[in-house]
């Protein structure tokens, strides 16, 4: 009888030791898993932060280019106003279109861009 009690006690102690070892291993595994999870979470938050920063950079760049485009359009409109206000002679337009073999519109534009100066317009066209 005592022998059985000892064996049972021995098995009980062994199972307690195994349980303690298993519990310790489980705790170690959980700590490792928690560290891995924390690292994974850090990677995700880093990615989200980088993405947020990239979105802000993109918005700033888009705003910059939009402003540049608006400025260019305003300059073109101002230039068109200036060119429209230049007085040109119809004889000069006919001469340019005949001699340079271009239509009337480009001839007018060429003359207007050189402030109605026929000689300057001819030289600019030839030296183009």
């Amino acid at each position: 009888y005592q022998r059985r009690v000892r064996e049972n006690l021995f098995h009980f102690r062994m199972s307690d030791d195994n349980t303690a070892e298993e519990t310790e291993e489980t705790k170690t595994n959980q700590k490792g898993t928690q560290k891995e999870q924390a690292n994974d979470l850090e990677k995700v938050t880093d990615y989200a932060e980088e993405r947020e920063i990239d979105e802000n950079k993109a918005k700033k760049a888009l705003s910059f280019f939009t402003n540049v485009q608006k400025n260019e359009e305003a300059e073109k409109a101002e230039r068109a106003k200036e060119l429209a206000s230049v007085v040109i002679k119809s004889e000069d337009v006919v001469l340019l279109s005949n001699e340079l073999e271009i239509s009337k519109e480009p001839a007018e534009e060429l003359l207007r861009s050189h402030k109605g100066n026929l000689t300057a317009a001819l030289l600019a066209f030839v030296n183009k």
Side-chain angles (χ1 to χ4, degrees), residues 2-117:
Q2 288 179 348
R3 186 173 176 210
R4 268 197 251 158
V5 171
R6 283 186 196 153
E7 285 177 4
N8 286 337
L9 186 61
F10 176 75
H11 287 296
F12 181 74
R13 285 185 182 161
M14 289 297 287
S15 66
D16 280 348
D17 287 344
N18 287 342
T19 305
E21 287 175 10
E22 287 175 7
T23 304
E24 204 168 301
E25 284 180 26
T26 305
K27 286 180 182 177
T28 305
N29 286 341
Q30 286 176 348
K31 286 180 184 177
T33 303
Q34 287 174 348
K35 285 182 182 178
E36 289 173 8
Q37 289 174 350
N39 288 339
D40 290 343
L41 182 61
E42 186 66 28
K43 289 177 186 175
V44 168
T45 55
D46 285 347
Y47 174 75
E49 289 170 0
E50 287 175 10
R51 186 170 177 187
E52 230 175 72
I53 290 169
D54 290 344
E55 286 177 11
N56 289 336
K57 286 181 181 177
K59 286 179 183 177
K60 286 179 183 177
L62 183 60
S63 174
F64 173 77
F65 288 119
T66 302
N67 288 338
V68 168
Q69 185 178 14
K70 285 180 182 178
N71 290 341
E72 287 176 354
E73 288 173 2
E75 288 174 4
K76 283 182 183 179
E78 188 176 323
R79 176 82 173 143
K81 273 185 178 180
E82 286 176 17
L83 291 178
S85 67
V86 173
V87 178
I88 56 172
K89 297 178 185 173
S90 61
E91 305 90 45
D92 291 345
V93 174
V94 172
L95 179 69
L96 273 178
S97 62
N98 289 338
E99 294 300 319
L100 301 177
E101 297 179 356
I102 57 176
S103 66
K104 201 173 181 184
E105 291 81 20
E108 285 180 12
E109 188 178 324
L110 185 61
L111 266 173
R112 288 184 192 282
S113 66
H114 291 91
K115 308 222 186 285
N117 186 337

